[in-house]
Amino acid sequence: MADESSPPAPMPSVPTRADAFDQYMPIVLFLVLNSAFGLIPAIAAMTLWAVKAQISRYRRGLPLGRVMPIIVVYLLIRGTFGIIYDSEDVYFGIGISAKALAALALLVSAGLRRNATGYALPYLVPINPDTKSHPEYRAATRRVSVVVAIIVFASAGFDTWLLQNASVNKFVLIRLGVNWGASIATILGMGLYLDRRLRRIPSFPGMMPLIERRLKDFGMNPPPSADG
């Protein structure tokens, strides 16, 4: 029986250097323009580049789909309110609130049959139908959704504290570094947990072979893992 958490389509093309450039360029623009001209030009430039990046990713076939218009509208609303009120608290506060809402959505999804992690994981690695329909898969991905939600809540709390206790540029830089480190640690931790837990499923080969298979789909040739 096919699991309802299966995505409707396989993952499209791998992100490129352009995606990394688009990810960090809004931050660079914000830091430079905020230091030189003030908050409003910085917010305007950051918002416009972020919108441009979302549209570019959509045109390259990255997995945005119907979500892309919602992200663009959110970015425009956030930027507009930040400019109207000329306030970093309003601009960044909207982002922090959105992060907290995302964590809440993860928690809610954990109580549903289609939890967020169970839905998203097959976009990242090729999970077969037997694995996706197994109770261990649903239980493991549900726990991941809960843990990630807690981490995101903690991150939103840290962002709130930092916004009140640092200059705008320091807030942007420190938040970038902390969130980047936390994201890497979370991804590694959740990957190790899923690898161990999902091995209880007879048809599950391990995370590394699945990652290698995905990389080969992208035309890469990683060295074989010990499981390969």
Side-chain angles (χ1 to χ4, degrees), residues 27 30 32 51 82 95 107 149 153-154 164 167 178 200 205 215 222 225 227:
I27 297 172
F30 183 92
V32 172
V51 169
L107 281 179
F153 271 128
Q164 301 302 317
S167 66
V178 170
R200 300 177 184 178
L215 292 176
S225 66
D227 296 325

Side-chain angles (χ1 to χ4, degrees), residues 9-192:
M11 184 180 180
S13 58
V14 66
T16 63
R17 291 181 181 178
D19 297 298
F21 182 77
D22 280 340
Q23 180 179 357
Y24 293 107
M25 191 61 188
I27 297 172
V28 173
L29 287 173
F30 183 92
L31 294 173
V32 172
L33 293 177
N34 184 57
S35 298
F37 303 106
L39 185 64
I40 290 179
I43 290 177
M46 190 177 198
T47 299
L48 291 175
W49 195 287
V51 169
K52 170 258 179 193
Q54 293 298 321
I55 295 173
S56 296
R57 289 167 185 160
Y58 177 75
R59 288 177 174 174
R60 287 199 299 275
L62 292 174
L64 292 172
R66 297 177 183 177
V67 180
M68 191 274 288
I70 298 174
I71 296 175
V72 168
V73 170
Y74 158 74
L75 291 170
L76 291 174
I77 291 175
R78 180 188 179 196
T80 299
F81 275 95
I83 291 171
I84 290 174
Y85 288 97
D86 190 10
S87 169
E88 63 270 17
D89 289 339
V90 171
Y91 179 67
F92 291 112
I94 292 173
I96 294 170
S97 298
K99 181 185 288 189
L101 287 174
L104 180 61
L106 272 173
L107 281 179
V108 171
S109 81
L112 304 176
R113 180 176 177 82
R114 182 186 292 193
N115 77 82
T117 303
Y119 179 79
L121 187 60
Y123 279 112
L124 304 177
V125 293
I127 305 291
N128 66 44
D130 289 340
T131 298
K132 287 183 287 187
S133 62
H134 200 283
E136 283 288 349
Y137 179 83
R138 289 192 289 269
T141 55
R142 187 179 299 116
R143 288 188 180 183
V144 169
S145 292
V146 171
V147 172
V148 171
I150 293 171
I151 292 172
V152 174
F153 271 128
S155 177
F158 173 78
D159 288 351
T160 301
W161 174 85
L162 185 63
L163 184 60
Q164 301 302 317
N165 291 277
S167 66
V168 178
N169 280 12
K170 284 184 179 179
F171 167 80
V172 172
L173 286 172
I174 294 173
R175 184 185 64 164
L176 174 65
V178 170
N179 286 349
W180 185 84
S183 297
I184 296 298
T186 299
I187 291 170
L188 290 175
M190 294 304 99
L192 291 172

Side-chain angles (χ1 to χ4, degrees), residues 181-220:
S183 297
I184 296 298
T186 299
I187 291 170
L188 290 175
M190 294 304 99
L192 291 172
Y193 168 76
L194 287 172
D195 182 76
R196 179 180 62 82
R197 180 68 185 268
L198 295 182
R199 285 182 184 272
R200 300 177 184 178
I201 304 173
S203 61
F204 183 73
M207 289 298 292
M208 283 308 300
L210 294 181
I211 292 172
E212 290 168 6
R213 194 179 308 167
R214 178 62 76 191
L215 292 176
K216 289 178 182 177
D217 291 341
F218 291 146
M220 303 177 187

